[in-house]
Amino acid sequence: MRIFGVDPGSERTGYGCIESSGGRHSLVTCGVLSAPARSTFPERLFAIHAGLQALLERHRPECVAVENIFFAKNVRSALKLGHARGVVLLAASQASIPVVEYSPAEIKRSVVGYGRAEKQQVQAMTKLLLDLEAVPSPHDVADALAVAICHIHTSTNVVSRVTGGAVAQPRAVRSWRQYRP
């Protein structure tokens, strides 16, 4: 199973593609998508979209897992994040790849075992689970890889195709103790 995880952001969008054969996960690619510093907001969104289109075409994942929007006090930041998420969903839909979304707490619970884990804990577990030599950096990359790992740990299979994309139905896992590769 090949999963493409995305941590959307308007400044930097982290991505990570992993391959899993049940109990073993391996890194295919990871990084961040961003536009030059003086780019306008529409130019940044275009750079994210174009970059994702190329990556999805090259790696051909079975599913795209995206981090859901979390509660934000700053409305302007939340709106920008929503635009970036929309571009990610559009790129996946254009590639006819199923999309599934997970909340930050679900991701942390699946990867670390605790829904309020710190970023350093997520990075360390991502390094451990993917058998990497170094902690994934910046945190956007680690978050994207964690989203992909979360999907592998909590999903059954991608089940239905819907007009404009597909939806995966995740299986709820309450604890890391319930995970069976």
Side-chain angles (χ1 to χ4, degrees), residues 67-174:
E67 184 172 357
N68 228 338
I69 292 181
F70 57 92
F71 175 75
K73 291 181 182 177
N74 186 332
V75 175
R76 195 169 270 182
S77 295
L79 285 172
K80 285 185 176 184
L81 179 59
H83 290 309
R85 287 186 75 255
V87 166
V88 171
L89 299 177
L90 174 64
S93 293
Q94 287 176 327
S96 298
I97 300 172
V99 175
V100 66
E101 300 174 42
Y102 295 98
S103 72
E106 288 175 303
I107 296 164
K108 291 174 182 178
R109 191 170 37 253
S110 175
V111 174
V112 179
Y114 177 58
R116 294 181 184 222
E118 300 291 328
K119 288 220 178 269
Q120 296 85 357
Q121 292 172 304
V122 173
Q123 287 176 312
M125 282 303 294
T126 302
K127 175 187 179 288
L128 183 69
L129 290 169
L130 294 175
D131 196 27
L132 303 174
E133 291 182 16
V135 172
S137 183
H139 66 83
D140 306 284
V141 173
D143 289 350
L145 291 168
V147 176
I149 293 168
C150 174
H151 180 67
I152 289 172
H153 286 183
T154 61
S155 71
T156 51
N157 288 317
V158 176
V159 291
S160 65
R161 292 225 172 245
V162 179
T163 305
V167 180
Q169 299 297 323
R171 173 177 44 100
V173 174
R174 293 190 181 102

Side-chain angles (χ1 to χ4, degrees), residues 22-62:
R24 292 209 179 271
H25 313 311
S26 60
L27 178 66
V28 175
T29 188
C30 66
V32 292
L33 297 170
S34 59
R38 295 184 184 257
S39 299
T40 65
F41 186 63
E43 290 169 338
R44 289 179 187 183
L45 293 177
F46 180 77
I48 293 167
H49 182 263
L52 279 175
Q53 273 188 318
L55 288 164
L56 295 174
E57 174 79 21
R58 184 179 317 132
H59 298 291
R60 300 199 181 277
E62 295 173 39

